[in-house]
Amino acid sequence: MRTNGGSDLIRDLAATQYCCQQEKTDVTIQPAINAPVISAKGLDLTFQTGDGPVHALRDVSLDIGKGDFVSFIGPSGCGKTTFLRVMADLEQPTAGQITVNGTSPEAARKARAYGYVFQAAGLYPWRTIGGNIRLPLEIMGYDRADQDARVARVLDLVELGGFEKKYPWQLSGGMQQRASIARALAFDADILLMDEPFGALDEIVRDHLNEQLLKLWDRTDKTICFVTHSIPEAVYLSTKIVVMSPRPGRITDVIDSPLPRVRPLEIRDTPEFLEIAHRVREGLRAGHAYDD
Amino acid sequence: MRNALPVLTVLIAILAIWYVAVAPMNIRVALDQAQRAGAVLQPETALERQEVSVWSLMLRNSAQIGQTYAMERPRLPTPGQVATELWSTTGEMALNGRAMSKRSLIYHGWITLQSTLWGFALGTALGILGAVAIVYSRVVNMSLMPWAIISQTVPIVALAPMIIVVSSQLGIQDRAVPKAIISAYLCYFPVLVGMVKGLRSPAHAQLDLLKTYNASGFQAFLKLRLPASVPYLFTSLKVGIAAALVGTIVGELPTGAISGLGARILIGDQFGTPLAIWAALVAAAVLAGVLVTLLDIAQRVTLRRMGMAP
């Protein structure tokens, strides 16, 4: 048993056990509060394309608790973005149930229950940074004074104070993405849906933004769903990692992270971190196995 | 200043080609006149000269080449002759306080400009409204767009007389009205096409984002589609105003109009005064240049104010 492969297996088992214990203690401590914010049961979504049906989601079930930071990881075509879009009512499932805040995604969208961050910052070039953050507030009919206060507050939250009057082209890519996160935070939705928000940024900027995002999550107690295809990013950020695989898009593993809420960047060198990363990698590999 | 050199080079090249072309263009007429004045030519009669190329005429009668640059009614006037004619019908008359005389190109240019601006306003309004309808309605897109394209395949010179006849049948006495309609007819199309592209320019994610805010269709139009289309609009307006000017001039040709740059061109043709035609042509080109430049400035100012240009 003491071969290399064997030791991997033992470490995995240990990690799994550890996760399960965590889950149990969670349940015993706060049974009522942990009613899921997002709950999916047997979701199916099939796109009809010219090349025949594409099974973007197949029998996807998942509960996301309040204050969770959930990462969705998997190769392209595994349905992670589609799942996020279903939560946001931007796609309609062909079968199954999903509730957001206890209601349908459509009702949640109309109640402005979530903020959505796209991969591209998508700031309007004809609006200043402040004007861009003001956009949802104008649409939702906040009065002027309230708008000003909120813009100032979320700019501070993403450390962009003083950039309110600048135009997007005057900011770096990382700063633009922070502004787009501020825009999603401006109207105080409890849920933040993020679709590969840092995918187009370089490693150093990405590390910095990950750190900032964790602090922000810790301060605001939002529920965050985060799509990525970076394993370190998923493990560093999440309390729960959902591993998905393609054709058909489905969940292959759900890992509850034993890492503490407060995480310095150095945590990525600890054995616990590497263990989880290993399990995510194994999950991704298993999902790919019968593809090759 | 670094741009001045290439600009000047192109200008000088155009003028040089023009100047060189004057001799072969005018040599036959010049020789005919010289013959009547009693000069001895090679070949001697006009009939014989018909069989000889302009190049060989120029070689054999090189003494007469100077004449081609100083004719009263040249086939092709020199740049200097056109400039002189233009000055004597604009600047000089203005200095004499006769800018609005019926012989002044300033007067005729003003008549043309009025119809152009009315046509431009009408065409731009129609183009924008049509584009909004096309972007927001599939039915309109499928029913209106083909007609918009067909409308531009009909030669305007064929359509212009009909518009004039119809408007006079309807009892419209003012000649400016059919001219403005013809002008709008040419002008609306670039605006329509540009605005359709502009209103459709926001990326899918942008529209999804507004959906997550539960924004209404009108909010999406006002806050996203309309501002996004502004750069496209200005590009179209610059094409549109040039088309509107062409439309007005074409509208002035078959109407028997006596005022307007188009009328000047027609009268110059009928009375055999090419200099008047050339002066009117250059005046029209200058007018178009001024209008497009004004729109270009408006574009720069607007985009800078919107923050879309540094």
Side-chain angles (χ1 to χ4, degrees), chain A residues 85 88-90 109-110 112 114 116 118 122-127 135-136 138-140 167 169 183 187, chain B residues 204-206 208-216 219 223-225 227-228 304-310:
Chain A
R85 290 175 62 86
D89 189 39
L90 296 173
R109 175 173 67 78
K110 291 190 170 158
R112 283 123 179 189
Y114 64 84
Y116 202 104
F118 291 86
L123 302 172
Y124 291 1
W126 56 86
R127 281 173 175 253
L135 174 74
E138 285 172 12
I139 287 171
M140 295 172 192
Y167 281 97
W169 59 268
R183 184 176 57 183
F187 48 98
Chain B
H204 216 78
Q206 293 282 16
D208 278 346
L209 182 69
L210 287 180
K211 195 179 171 192
T212 70
Y213 299 153
N214 197 24
S216 69
Q219 284 174 323
K223 297 206 183 285
L224 176 59
R225 288 193 193 266
R304 191 169 304 164
R305 286 196 135 198
M306 285 176 77
M308 289 164 90

Side-chain angles (χ1 to χ4, degrees), chain A residues 18-291:
Chain A
Y18 188 40
C19 293
C20 295
Q21 278 167 0
Q22 277 276 306
E23 227 169 34
K24 263 179 212 149
T25 47
D26 272 5
V27 170
T28 45
I29 293 168
Q30 21 176 241
I33 300 167
N34 247 359
V37 170
I38 296 168
S39 170
K41 280 188 189 63
L43 276 190
D44 274 8
L45 199 155
T46 311
F47 291 113
Q48 299 300 336
T49 70
D51 298 335
V54 172
H55 299 283
L57 293 176
R58 165 77 60 83
D59 194 24
V60 168
S61 300
L62 186 73
D63 282 344
I64 297 170
K66 175 152 178 53
D68 272 352
F69 195 128
V70 185
S71 283
F72 297 85
I73 188 165
S76 331
C78 71
K80 53 193 192 300
T81 294
T82 308
F83 191 18
L84 204 69
R85 290 175 62 86
V86 168
M87 296 176 199
D89 189 39
L90 296 173
E91 304 286 355
Q92 303 308 318
T94 34
Q97 283 101 45
I98 177 163
T99 60
V100 177
N101 273 354
T103 61
S104 71
E106 190 188 356
R109 175 173 67 78
K110 291 190 170 158
R112 283 123 179 189
Y114 64 84
Y116 202 104
V117 180
F118 291 86
Q119 178 167 12
L123 302 172
Y124 291 1
W126 56 86
R127 281 173 175 253
T128 58
I129 296 305
N132 269 289
I133 295 169
R134 210 178 289 276
L135 174 74
L137 304 175
E138 285 172 12
I139 287 171
M140 295 172 192
Y142 288 85
D143 66 55
R144 190 75 200 183
D146 200 3
Q147 287 180 18
D148 292 344
R150 282 165 182 270
V151 168
R153 183 170 55 82
V154 291
L155 275 173
D156 275 347
L157 215 52
V158 297
E159 295 177 15
L160 278 179
F163 288 90
E164 185 177 349
K165 299 265 189 295
K166 294 265 188 279
Y167 281 97
W169 59 268
Q170 294 171 299
L171 268 62
S172 70
M175 288 161 98
Q176 289 187 21
Q177 196 54 273
R178 261 146 64 194
S180 97
I181 293 171
R183 184 176 57 183
L185 293 171
F187 48 98
D188 278 334
D190 288 334
I191 305 169
L192 203 51
L193 304 176
M194 309 178 86
D195 186 3
E196 289 189 50
F198 309 138
L201 304 174
D202 67 62
E203 198 75 23
I204 297 161
V205 176
R206 195 175 193 159
D207 276 355
H208 181 57
L209 291 189
N210 280 340
E211 217 178 354
Q212 282 189 316
L213 181 62
L214 264 189
K215 279 190 202 148
L216 193 144
W217 168 70
D218 195 39
R219 263 180 292 170
T220 55
D221 202 34
K222 293 196 186 300
T223 309
I224 300 183
C225 296
F226 188 97
V227 167
T228 178
H229 41 224
S230 155
I231 297 173
E233 190 173 64
V235 179
Y236 176 65
L237 292 173
S238 319
T239 58
K240 193 194 279 273
I241 302 156
V242 178
V243 183
M244 298 182 74
S245 74
R247 285 174 294 274
R250 63 200 186 283
I251 294 175
T252 49
D253 197 4
V254 178
I255 304 161
D256 285 292
S257 172
L259 298 177
R261 255 182 96 94
V262 178
R263 303 171 183 182
L265 275 172
E266 298 73 51
I267 204 168
R268 296 180 302 180
D269 300 322
T270 62
E272 290 89 345
F273 186 96
L274 296 174
E275 259 173 34
I276 307 165
H278 178 78
R279 185 170 154 196
V280 172
R281 195 169 289 116
E282 289 294 304
L284 289 172
R285 205 173 293 161
H288 255 308
Y290 63 90
D291 225 344

Side-chain angles (χ1 to χ4, degrees), chain B residues 118-282:
Chain B
W118 278 113
F120 178 65
L122 186 62
T124 302
L126 283 176
I128 292 175
L129 287 178
V132 172
I134 283 172
V135 168
Y136 276 93
S137 161
R138 245 179 80 81
V139 180
V140 176
N141 183 24
M142 282 158 62
S143 54
L144 192 67
M145 202 58 186
W147 288 106
I149 292 164
I150 287 169
S151 77
Q152 300 302 300
T153 63
V154 179
I156 190 68
V157 280
L159 207 64
M162 284 196 260
I163 294 174
I164 288 155
V165 168
V166 168
S167 66
S168 82
Q169 280 292 313
L170 292 174
I172 298 166
Q173 293 303 317
D174 192 350
R175 285 189 191 281
V177 174
K179 280 189 334 191
I181 292 174
I182 296 163
S183 169
Y185 186 88
L186 282 190
C187 166
Y188 88 94
F189 188 69
V191 177
L192 178 89
V193 173
M195 275 304 278
V196 166
K197 201 166 160 51
L199 291 172
R200 283 184 180 155
S201 65
H204 216 78
Q206 293 282 16
L207 295 165
D208 278 346
L209 182 69
L210 287 180
K211 195 179 171 192
T212 70
Y213 299 153
N214 197 24
S216 69
F218 185 64
Q219 284 174 323
F221 175 75
L222 219 57
K223 297 206 183 285
L224 176 59
R225 288 193 193 266
L226 202 60
S229 71
V230 169
Y232 295 84
L233 175 65
F234 272 105
T235 309
S236 305
L237 289 184
K238 284 193 268 184
V239 180
I241 195 134
L245 182 68
V246 170
T248 305
I249 289 174
V250 170
E252 284 165 349
L253 289 178
T255 50
I258 45 167
S259 47
L261 293 175
R264 287 298 287 182
I265 292 170
L266 194 71
I267 290 166
D269 188 46
Q270 287 164 347
F271 287 80
T273 50
L275 276 175
I277 301 179
W278 280 88
L281 278 179
V282 173

